[in-house]
Amino acid sequence: MGRALHRFWRITFGILAALAILLTGAWGALALWYQFPGPPVAKGAAVAVWALLALVAIIALVMGHCKISLLYAGGFAALLLWWVSISPRNDRLWADDVAQTTRAEIDPGKPDIVRLTQVRNFDWRSEADYTPRWEARTYDLSRLSSVDLALSYWASPSIAHTLVSFGFEGGDHVTFSVEIRKEKGEDFSEIGGFFKEFELSLIAADERDIIRLRTNIRKEDVYLYRIGLTRPAMRSLFLAYVAKANSLADKPRWYNTITANCTTIVYEMVKHIVPGLPLDTRLLFSGYLPEYIHDVGGLVPGHSLDELRRTGRIAERAKAADRDPQFSQAIRTGMID
């Protein structure tokens, strides 16, 4: 009985150890592919060497040569040390639309006046043809009058990009968008977002830039929802964006597909303003964010979600408005507020 039990535990340990090598080997291969310096050939060679080491470790484990498996463990420890040493940066050759970082200045003597520098106001003719403009703009928080959530869908109904737009008395709007900070020639990758492929960027932009880009140029389906916040809460949220923008400008941070994306970063800020907001899978599947906000009472009361969604669908209104200076007012025509 004792020998049988010993054999059982030895086999169980071997299976678990082999599974651990398999999983860490797969993680290490992806980490090397996305972060090993050099051209794709060098990356491929590093991945091949690592995969061979993991395979040899599994075979050695099956054959009872545990010392070789310990060699793999040492290699994985070295890989982790290398991984931790890879830090985000603000000095890469960035794509034009994320080349600048928004900063904010508040005069201590005038706490309602916020000056944003590097506000994006591109004139987009196509994704490859545009006139770049980065501007300084000043906003009076005592005139802050609305907060709108914009969700932009391009493929799946479960995934959308999240933007938050602040409106002011007189018709001014500024939109904040948490995005990946791509380098020139770089494309988005969901998997790469787990492996330090992109830094995090917080863009402040004119709606004729950042919303029109999605509706008129990329032909995405965009919805606007009025968020029910008190003026003090609006102000707190705006200042939270300001603080986040300055923080990222001073200390870069990695984007992460799950933990640091366009929705979870907003949730981090809002939960300090509205305590008790529950965690929910719809924070990950951001296409369903309106359902979540509706359930916690954050949308305009007295209306069904279907009605808010129908009246908040702005793509056709945005295409009709196009470069109209009254773009922000035009896309809100018929929207429930």
Side-chain angles (χ1 to χ4, degrees), residues 139-152:
Y139 299 95
D140 184 349
L141 298 188
S142 69
R143 300 175 64 82
L144 187 57
S145 61
S146 66
V147 175
D148 293 327
L149 172 73
L151 288 174
S152 184

Side-chain angles (χ1 to χ4, degrees), residues 1-16:
M1 182 67 179
R3 293 181 62 184
L5 185 62
H6 176 75
R7 177 179 173 81
F8 169 79
W9 285 117
R10 183 167 59 83
I11 293 173
T12 300
F13 173 78
I15 292 172
L16 292 176

Side-chain angles (χ1 to χ4, degrees), residues 73-93:
F76 184 68
L79 185 69
L80 284 178
L81 288 174
W82 164 74
W83 179 257
V84 171
S85 72
I86 303 172
S87 300
R89 294 165 50 183
N90 270 337
D91 59 350
R92 305 185 194 275
L93 186 60

